[in-house]
Amino acid sequence: MTEFWYNVKTHEVEEDAMSDWTQLIGPYKTREEAEHALEKVRVRNEAWDKDEED
């Protein structure tokens, strides 16, 4: 099955992790999920920050 990764250096979605793992976020099941990777990271970071404040 194909996996999709978001490359933080090129800001592109890759199929089956073609770049170095240090540049990738994933894997995701769909291209669309990978396209929204940075948004997911931002939301998670905000939630973690909020938990630390409490």
Side-chain angles (χ1 to χ4, degrees), residues 30-42:
T30 67
R31 176 175 292 279
E32 184 177 1
E33 285 181 306
E35 289 171 348
H36 296 284
L38 289 183
E39 182 179 334
K40 282 184 149 185
V41 168
R42 181 187 56 78

Side-chain angles (χ1 to χ4, degrees), residues 18-34:
M18 299 181 309
S19 298
D20 184 81
W21 69 271
T22 61
Q23 300 173 2
L24 301 176
I25 301 173
Y28 296 95
K29 292 181 181 181
T30 67
R31 176 175 292 279
E32 184 177 1
E33 285 181 306

